[in-house]
Amino acid sequence: MQAQTSTTERWHFITAVLLPVVLALVATAAAVIGFVFWSTSTIDQRAIERQTTMVTQVLQGKRDLMLKDQGGIAIWDEAVIHTGQSFDHDWVHANMGLWMHNFFGHDRTMVLDAQDQPLYVMEDGQAVATTSFRDMASGVMPLVQQLRTLIDAGRMTDFVSGRAEAPPTVCDFALVDGKPAIVGVTPIVSHTRTLAHTPGTESLMVSVRFLGAQAVTEMMHQYLIEDAAFVLVPSASPDRVSYPVINDVGRFVAFFEWTGDRPGRLMLGHTVPVLIFVILAGALLFMLLLRKLRGSSAALQEGRRVAEHEAAHDRLTGLPNRTNFDTHLARILREQKAPSTNIVLLMLDLDRFKQVNDTLGHQAGDDLIRSVGERIRLVVGNEVMVARLGGDEFAILAVTHNRPFDAMAVSGRIIEAIGRPFDLGHFKAHVGVSIGIVEADASSAEPRELVRKADIALYEAKASGRNRAMVYEEHMNELLQLQHTIEGELRAALNRNDQLSVAFQPLVDQKTRKVIGAEALARWYHPKYGQISPARFIPVAENTGLIEELGEFVLRRACEIGASAPGRTIAVNISPTQLRNPYFSNQVFDILHQTGMRPIDLELEITESILLDDENISAQNLRTFRAAGIQIALDDFGTGYSSLSYLKRYPVDRIKIDRSFVSQLAEGHVSVAITQAIVTLAHAMDIEVTAEGVESEKQATILGKMGCNTLQGFLFSGAVIPAKIAGIFADPLNTPERRRRARNRAA
């Protein structure tokens, strides 16, 4: 009865005293806050109007700047001369196309003749086929016709006669290839008016600058516009301001969107919290009382939840751990017995993680693992289980019902995400990921077998070059057993002297067609399995640690040949594993001393993956070799992570163009332009160029015109035994006529 009376009195106090006070405070606060919000809205609206006016002026300024940029090039006697009857494509590319792209940031530049047919087209700094003009003509030609109309109306005659200071020009907004852009059209005419010219016969210069990321960045930096973009469909967000970009004929081109500057909202952010604080003070006191009552119970529940979570999750990434994963997989396979239930398991293992751990330390390794977990989760979403099994191993388990799970597509996105650089303090780390995939029917799958098959697919992905995904197939189990067989047989062969050998493929001087050296290539003839391809046993040697012993064998045989043929370049491939060994340089110099070969005749070929290692030991070995006169060549250039920044960090003496480019060399093929660019850039950096896989005289001729220094391929010779290469070197027709070029050893 007493408890009932106490409860009645409490509710009476709340109803008679506390409730009216609370309602009065709420009403007053609502009125004040309503007035503040109305003032804020008015201030923000005026600010948006000012910003919109500024955007209008900025866009008009960009149009004016486009015509100014064009006028400096198109209204020029030299331009008239080189685009006239004798059209000079190289001059136009260098002085018009590249100039407009490199100095003014124009994305595309075209030169049209008097009939408005394309004579020259530049896209993103590259001269391309004029047929590409058809793809952009719908956005460009209306402006070209507009300028022709002005010329026909006598505007060009006014300029030629001196009545007008400038020729007629046209610049407007347009959609080019479905993207918003500023298009400018200017006639190519004499700035001195001394060259004979009949209005209507002039060529036209057309420039396109897309209103994309670069244009937006400039506007954001110069005019303090925040989070801007050109879009075709306006955002529905109330924080975004959309300005329709309309061209001169009244057609919609795009929306320019940005996050509006709202000073009223800023003021609101400073004013309202004070008012809210007063209102919330009373509520806070009430909440503190409730919290105190619930504190003990909540603490117990939270402690139990944390303990359960830590037991089932990885502390570093917060992802489920191996125990949690195994339990979840077993439960899924036990409970999901419907025929329509599919299980997809992905096993992931990072590539080059050990180098990061060894080079930057375990803290950096932990940060990398944490970031990897976050990127994987972003790719697959929250509906799929992602677990860290330990070290740099992860697993993804997807359960689907009556719908497919595209494991290869997901794997591709994961590989792309992990392939982006990781910021680890003051360093950037590059790693990759190999993925093994297995798919099964939940009603017939068994946990251990499922994991074993995924591991086999993962092993095959690593053996196939890493940084890729492989789906388990039954033959992979046989291949894995074959890998173990090859490993055992290779260990035995390295302890014998009757199976492994070294063959030599000649290197030919492009100008004289004389043999100036050879590349050493490992060969293995097994008495039971016959000739075993290097593509099969070299990866096994890399994965099992046998590559250093195999590499020493090849290097010693190569130096023996090199010692007997001074003045000839002997090229030897070395693996990243060898180069990371701090004693590798001592091993190389010992072999040179024992065989008597000169260091300047030795060329060590490295792969592009070495340049990504950022490994101090590798860099030191390369510097030691170059200081001693040993040449460094970058093999298979253009097929991996080629970058001029890497060539500056690790200077090399030669790059070898991969056979995939050489095999496609033909007039008009894109490989010609790519290969020419590689040769030109290499020579500009004082680097010689060797082309691999030359199989036809036509390829050799094209490479010769490009200035390629050395050729290698079946056109001249395949790999031959040591005795035959020695005979080739001894042939008087192959007497060397040049000395090795000098270089800066301090590089």
Side-chain angles (χ1 to χ4, degrees):
M1 184 68 178
Q2 184 178 359
Q4 183 178 359
T5 302
S6 177
T7 302
T8 302
E9 291 177 351
R10 186 166 59 250
W11 277 107
H12 176 74
F13 173 79
I14 293 174
T15 305
V17 179
L18 186 60
L19 184 59
V21 173
V22 170
L23 290 176
L25 290 175
V26 169
T28 302
V32 173
I33 292 175
F35 174 79
V36 171
F37 273 94
W38 175 82
S39 301
T40 298
S41 177
T42 303
I43 294 171
D44 287 346
Q45 183 176 358
R46 293 178 179 176
I48 294 300
E49 290 173 355
R50 288 194 299 271
Q51 293 175 53
T52 302
T53 301
M54 182 183 67
V55 168
T56 303
Q57 295 172 350
V58 169
L59 291 176
Q60 182 58 45
K62 287 190 173 294
R63 291 174 57 177
D64 296 340
L65 183 60
M66 165 74 80
L67 291 178
K68 181 180 178 182
D69 294 344
Q70 282 191 315
I73 300 299
I75 306 173
W76 185 22
D77 289 355
E78 291 292 324
V80 175
I81 294 172
H82 291 90
T83 59
Q85 294 181 352
S86 178
F87 185 82
D88 190 338
H89 184 277
D90 292 339
W91 187 94
V92 169
H93 180 61
N95 294 277
M96 299 179 77
L98 284 180
W99 189 273
M100 299 303 287
H101 180 269
N102 295 339
F103 291 94
F104 298 136
H106 293 194
D107 299 295
R108 297 182 182 177
T109 298
M110 293 143 276
V111 175
L112 308 182
D113 63 16
Q115 288 73 42
D116 298 333
Q117 296 300 310
L119 300 173
Y120 165 81
V121 178
M122 179 278 291
E123 293 186 11
D124 297 327
Q126 300 291 328
V128 299
T130 56
T131 54
S132 65
F133 179 74
R134 291 195 298 265
D135 298 331
M136 62 187 90
S138 61
V140 170
M141 287 308 297
L143 299 181
V144 172
Q145 295 302 324
Q146 186 177 342
L147 178 59
R148 291 295 186 190
T149 300
L150 293 177
I151 293 173
D152 293 341
R155 293 283 297 278
M156 183 61 73
T157 303
D158 292 343
F159 171 74
V160 173
S161 64
R163 291 192 298 272
E165 294 183 359
T169 57
V170 172
C171 185
D172 203 354
F173 301 107
L175 283 175
V176 179
D177 290 348
K179 296 180 288 187
I182 299 177
V183 179
V185 187
T186 299
I188 301 176
V189 294
S190 168
H191 70 285
T192 62
R193 298 184 179 91
T194 58
L195 299 179
H197 171 233
T198 301
T201 63
E202 55 282 315
S203 298
L204 302 183
M205 180 181 185
V206 182
S207 291
V208 176
R209 185 174 188 191
F210 288 110
L211 296 175
Q214 183 176 354
V216 169
T217 301
E218 293 174 359
M219 295 177 68
M220 289 170 63
H221 288 173
Q222 294 176 7
Y223 304 101
L224 302 180
I225 300 174
E226 294 184 3
D227 195 19
F230 285 94
V231 297
L232 297 180
V233 179
S235 171
S237 172
D239 295 331
R240 304 287 285 172
V241 181
S242 297
Y243 172 79
V245 180
I246 308 296
N247 63 17
D248 291 344
V249 296
R251 296 199 175 194
F252 166 80
V253 175
F255 285 99
F256 179 70
E257 267 196 2
W258 71 96
T259 300
D261 181 18
R262 291 177 168 84
R265 183 177 296 181
L266 181 62
M267 180 192 70
L268 185 66
H270 291 86
T271 305
V272 171
V274 177
L275 298 175
I276 295 177
F277 175 80
V278 175
I279 297 171
L280 292 180
L284 180 60
L285 293 174
F286 179 73
M287 295 298 296
L288 287 175
L289 290 175
L290 290 179
R291 183 177 180 183
K292 194 169 183 178
L293 292 173
R294 297 168 52 191
S296 298
S297 176
L300 290 174
Q301 294 177 359
E302 178 65 15
R304 183 174 59 189
R305 188 193 65 79
V306 170
E308 292 174 351
H309 183 274
E310 289 182 353
H313 291 78
D314 173 59
R315 292 190 177 184
L316 183 60
T317 62
L319 297 174
N321 57 20
R322 179 179 287 276
T323 301
N324 191 342
F325 170 79
D326 291 341
T327 302
H328 183 72
L329 176 60
R331 185 176 68 252
I332 289 295
L333 296 180
R334 183 176 61 254
E335 297 175 353
Q336 301 290 342
K337 295 299 183 181
S340 60
T341 302
N342 296 316
I343 301 292
V344 181
L345 176 60
L346 288 76
M347 303 293 284
L348 296 80
D349 190 88
L350 298 184
D351 302 325
R352 301 189 298 275
F353 173 73
K354 185 177 182 299
Q355 290 93 294
V356 175
N357 230 12
D358 294 346
T359 306
L360 303 182
H362 292 288
Q363 182 59 50
D366 288 348
D367 293 341
L368 176 62
I369 290 295
R370 191 180 299 109
S371 298
V372 167
E374 292 171 354
R375 292 190 184 182
I376 294 174
R377 173 58 72 194
L378 286 174
V379 170
V380 303
N382 295 321
E383 296 181 358
V384 176
M385 183 183 194
V386 179
R388 183 192 178 202
L389 305 183
D392 59 345
E393 297 178 68
F394 294 82
I396 299 173
L397 179 63
V399 182
T400 62
H401 302 275
N402 296 319
R403 59 185 179 87
F405 179 83
D406 194 343
M408 288 302 292
V410 172
S411 297
R413 294 198 296 272
I414 292 174
I415 291 171
E416 187 276 331
I418 303 301
R420 296 195 298 269
F422 290 85
D423 290 319
L424 304 178
H426 300 293
F427 301 90
K428 284 188 179 295
H430 297 264
V431 297
V433 62
S434 299
I435 304 176
I437 304 170
V438 62
E439 302 180 17
D441 184 344
S443 62
S444 60
E446 196 275 330
R448 290 188 179 180
E449 185 66 9
L450 205 62
V451 172
R452 188 186 73 85
K453 291 180 177 180
D455 280 332
I456 291 176
L458 173 61
Y459 178 89
E460 189 66 17
K462 283 187 170 291
S464 300
R466 302 176 184 270
N467 206 40
R468 64 192 63 204
M470 301 286 285
V471 178
Y472 174 80
E473 298 177 3
E474 289 300 330
H475 76 275
M476 289 183 180
N477 196 21
E478 300 176 3
L479 288 176
L480 182 61
Q481 299 304 319
L482 177 60
Q483 297 286 351
H484 293 317
T485 300
I486 290 176
E487 177 185 351
E489 294 296 330
L490 183 57
R491 289 185 186 276
L494 287 168
N495 293 321
R496 303 169 60 94
N497 58 7
D498 58 347
Q499 293 186 20
L500 294 172
S501 62
V502 177
F504 296 85
Q505 186 172 30
L507 300 172
V508 177
D509 182 83
Q510 180 270 133
K511 293 182 179 179
T512 64
R513 296 297 178 91
K514 293 184 177 183
V515 176
I516 59 173
E519 178 180 359
L521 302 170
R523 293 292 184 263
W524 181 14
Y525 183 82
H526 192 279
K528 179 179 179 180
Y529 301 111
Q531 196 73 38
I532 300 177
S533 169
R536 176 57 66 181
F537 71 82
I538 294 294
V540 173
E542 288 276 8
N543 294 331
T544 58
L546 297 175
I547 192 64
E548 293 192 70
E549 189 175 353
L550 178 62
E552 180 183 1
F553 169 80
V554 174
L555 180 63
R556 187 174 297 277
R557 295 293 181 270
C559 290
E560 290 171 355
I561 289 293
S564 65
R568 310 285 185 173
T569 297
I570 303 299
V572 181
N573 289 277
I574 59 174
S575 75
T577 303
Q578 290 176 280
L579 200 59
R580 294 188 197 108
N581 187 336
Y583 303 105
F584 179 57
S585 59
N586 293 335
Q587 181 186 87
V588 172
F589 292 127
D590 286 344
I591 293 175
L592 288 171
H593 177 71
Q594 293 166 11
T595 59
M597 181 180 181
R598 303 187 308 174
I600 62 173
D601 293 334
L602 178 61
E603 182 172 276
L604 299 179
E605 295 187 3
I606 63 176
T607 60
E608 295 180 11
S609 62
I610 292 176
L611 304 185
L612 292 173
D613 279 349
D614 203 13
E615 176 87 33
N616 291 332
I617 295 176
S618 299
Q620 182 58 46
N621 277 332
L622 288 176
R623 286 192 290 268
T624 301
F625 291 143
R626 298 189 85 247
I630 296 174
Q631 305 284 296
I632 303 298
L634 184 57
D635 199 11
D636 300 332
F637 187 82
T639 61
Y641 302 91
S642 307
S643 171
L644 294 180
S645 63
Y646 293 132
L647 297 182
K648 292 177 182 178
R649 189 188 312 168
Y650 300 107
V652 299
D653 304 284
R654 180 185 304 276
I655 59 175
K656 301 188 73 174
I657 300 175
D658 187 67
R659 64 182 67 249
S660 62
F661 290 107
V662 175
S663 64
Q664 301 181 64
L665 289 181
E667 295 296 335
H669 196 280
V670 68
S671 288
V672 175
I674 295 174
T675 306
Q676 180 65 73
I678 293 174
V679 174
T680 302
L681 287 173
H683 287 171
M685 299 179 70
D686 198 25
I687 298 174
E688 293 194 357
V689 181
T690 294
E692 299 180 295
V694 180
E695 298 183 355
S696 69
E697 188 62 42
K698 184 176 181 180
Q699 294 171 349
T701 301
I702 294 174
L703 290 166
K705 292 179 180 179
M706 292 179 181
C708 189
N709 304 95
T710 310
L711 306 178
Q712 178 182 357
F714 286 107
L715 174 64
F716 310 104
S717 173
V720 298
I721 61 175
K724 188 167 183 179
I725 197 65
I728 293 174
F729 287 162
D731 191 334
L733 295 177
N734 291 319
T735 301
E737 295 183 355
R738 64 181 180 86
R739 295 177 60 84
R740 186 186 301 272
R741 62 189 178 92
R743 68 158 185 238
N744 180 6
R745 296 295 177 195

